[in-house]
Amino acid sequence: MRASHPALAPALLRIADDRLILGHRTSEWCGHAPILEEDIALANIALDLIGQATLVLQHAGAVERAGRNEDALAFFRDATDFRNALLCELPRGDFGVTIVRHFFHGLYSVLQWDALARSTDQTLAGIAAKALKESRYHVRHAGEWVIRLGDGTEESHRRAQEAVDALWPYTGELFMQPADEADLVAAGTTADVSLLAGPWRAQVDDVLRRATLRAPSDPWMQRGGRDGRHTEHLGHLLAEMQIVARSHPGAQW
Amino acid sequence: MSAVTTREQVFAWLEDVKDPEVPVLSVVELGVVRDATVSDDGSVAVTITPTYSGCPAMRVIEESIRDALLLRGAPRVTVATVFSPAWTTDWMPETARAKLEAYGIAPPGAVDPVGDLVPLQRAGTGPRCPFCKSPRTTRRSDFGSTACKALWVCEECTQPFEQFKAI
């Protein structure tokens, strides 16, 4: 096998870590969601996201050729080695925060998988084409909830708007194109995420309008996750996610 | 039996390997088995594709395929996973759809690949009740007991039922 571009494995980690961390965060709702149907829905979405992460991490491990499989990459990296966007690691919040985050990230995922489905990396393209179908299903679910909550009761509207306001400064990082991926984008291996910002904003504005919600006007955006600079929340999440694997390395069941 | 078999025979044998979560469908009917090749020495290479990225049944399916073919006398069996083309319920043949409905699971509708991302008002009609066949059904949840199913309820006979998600 020909050695791959040194930027490919880190680029794949950015893709995988978003789904792994958001998937684990979402799994926290299992047994705690406000109604049974949403408990099942969130557990299913978490399963899809962790499944997508598994496939991309397998590929990253193969590309990296350092002897790490998907489990080693998920359970034996520390917070500074994770490359997920900060949006994915924030605490689960209330149901409004959960749904608005799934809508924001789900829409980004649909656009990113759609672009990656045309990747010149055949493995990545195959994973993306598959994940695209799942993410379309997720964003339909989350988007419909954004409209129900926003255009619902006074209480649901207030909480949905608070969720939009709180999460908004974390959406910009999704579209900041990492400098080290320039060669990969030129070769058609990965997608230039900065090009996805326009279509994303148009879809978000459409749904927020139907939900009687508004996007904040402050353009300032937080960043750091793509470079391994995380909030304190990621460490706590990893402690819970990694404890069993680290306590019993190599365990089989 | 002879040591060397044929591709057709392998597919026929795999009709006995059922989806562990929907035991009325074989892994062939489900569209999970994409291809099989038989070498001169009789060893079999099977290609499968996952239904959902996170489907927990995939590993069981892979092992069941291997076990079934070894039991039939294949000296060596390899099972490889491919992602392209992406699995779709549109591959499911009519016979499989009828089996699903008889089992109490509404079969998937046609996949709508270009529909509005957030439609709210959804086009088309829901599945008929697999029990009383009434068209008066309501979606209760987009998600169900497994990754591949959604939850519906029949307004006529009040029976809750699952539908295979169209994807």
Side-chain angles (χ1 to χ4, degrees):
Chain A
M1 184 177 137
R2 201 162 54 90
S4 48
H5 195 286
L8 181 54
L12 292 170
L13 290 182
R14 291 185 186 110
I15 297 167
D17 288 348
D18 266 23
R19 282 78 195 182
L20 178 63
I21 299 305
L22 184 55
H24 186 81
R25 199 48 110 192
T26 305
S27 75
E28 293 173 2
W29 279 104
C30 189
H32 301 280
I35 52 173
L36 183 59
E37 287 80 358
E38 283 315 298
D39 205 291
I40 295 169
L42 291 168
N44 266 286
I45 292 170
L47 182 67
D48 284 344
L49 290 174
I50 292 169
Q52 293 171 3
T54 305
L55 300 182
V56 181
L57 286 178
Q58 274 170 0
H59 188 37
V63 162
E64 182 186 63
R65 292 201 283 179
R68 295 195 289 184
N69 65 8
E70 66 276 20
D71 286 338
L73 287 168
F75 298 126
F76 292 90
R77 278 184 299 152
D78 293 328
T80 49
D81 301 323
F82 275 79
R83 292 292 178 269
N84 59 282
L86 298 176
L87 178 68
C88 302
E89 71 197 44
L90 298 175
R92 67 178 180 274
D94 63 10
F95 186 65
V97 169
T98 296
I99 286 297
V100 170
R101 170 162 53 185
H102 271 302
F103 176 60
F104 285 167
H105 197 274
L107 199 47
Y108 161 77
S109 284
V110 166
L111 297 166
Q112 189 185 30
W113 291 133
D114 186 48
L116 291 174
R118 293 185 294 274
S119 170
T120 50
D121 178 328
Q122 293 305 311
T123 303
L124 181 57
I127 295 169
K130 166 151 223 60
L132 173 61
K133 291 163 171 271
E134 296 161 0
S135 292
R136 284 185 67 96
Y137 203 89
H138 300 165
V139 85
R140 182 179 70 179
H141 181 75
E144 289 182 346
W145 263 115
V146 169
I147 296 170
R148 271 189 220 109
L149 295 176
D151 194 19
T153 65
E154 203 174 303
E155 171 79 357
S156 71
H157 175 86
R158 180 181 64 78
R159 292 218 203 177
Q161 185 62 59
E162 282 175 7
V164 169
D165 294 345
L167 297 173
W168 192 257
Y170 294 94
T171 58
E173 185 178 27
L174 300 173
F175 308 105
M176 293 176 188
Q177 179 60 23
D180 68 344
E181 285 189 38
D183 289 353
L184 297 176
V185 168
T189 311
T190 60
D192 182 346
V193 289
S194 68
L195 300 177
L196 309 179
W200 182 86
R201 184 61 199 264
Q203 289 269 9
V204 165
D205 283 345
D206 178 51
V207 169
L208 291 185
R209 180 184 51 73
R210 289 153 70 193
T212 72
L213 298 167
R214 46 167 183 71
S217 52
D218 186 347
W220 182 82
M221 290 289 167
Q222 182 62 276
R223 65 187 302 173
R226 296 281 188 240
D227 305 315
R229 287 178 290 114
H230 291 279
T231 67
E232 69 273 30
H233 307 297
L234 181 63
H236 293 280
L237 181 152
L238 292 180
E240 185 181 278
M241 186 178 87
Q242 297 177 332
I243 181 79
V244 174
R246 290 192 181 209
S247 302
H248 308 277
Q252 302 270 321
W253 64 86
Chain B
M1 57 159 276
S2 72
V4 179
T5 181
T6 62
R7 181 178 185 275
E8 288 67 33
Q9 182 62 68
V10 168
F11 268 82
W13 285 335
L14 292 180
E15 286 292 349
D16 291 339
V17 179
K18 305 299 182 191
D19 176 347
E21 287 176 347
V22 189
V24 71
L25 289 189
S26 77
V27 291
V28 175
E29 290 171 307
L30 193 62
V32 161
V33 176
R34 302 312 301 153
D35 201 5
T37 52
V38 182
S39 305
D40 291 342
D41 68 351
S43 49
V44 183
V46 181
T47 311
I48 60 173
T49 197
T51 51
Y52 285 79
S53 300
C55 179
M58 288 313 296
R59 199 165 291 180
V60 177
I61 288 176
E62 195 179 316
E63 285 167 8
S64 305
I65 289 173
R66 188 175 294 116
D67 290 348
L69 296 178
L70 289 173
L71 199 68
R72 297 286 190 168
R76 217 162 53 85
V77 179
T78 54
V79 183
T81 299
V82 294
F83 301 112
S84 187
W87 180 80
T88 168
T89 44
D90 283 352
W91 291 342
M92 198 179 285
E94 270 312 317
T95 48
R97 290 166 193 268
K99 281 186 197 174
L100 269 182
E101 192 178 33
Y103 186 65
I105 299 173
V111 175
D112 172 12
V114 288
D116 190 357
L117 270 180
V118 187
L120 205 56
Q121 297 285 330
R122 299 194 188 171
T125 50
R128 68 175 181 178
C129 172
F131 296 95
C132 76
K133 315 298 181 204
S134 167
R136 290 206 307 126
T137 58
T138 307
R139 190 181 64 247
R140 184 58 62 81
S141 171
D142 281 323
F143 299 87
S145 61
T146 67
C148 56
K149 287 180 257 153
L151 198 58
W152 289 71
V153 66
C154 176
E155 303 296 346
E156 196 73 42
C157 71
T158 71
Q159 174 70 37
F161 64 92
E162 292 189 299
Q163 182 191 26
F164 222 87
K165 283 151 62 173
I167 195 166

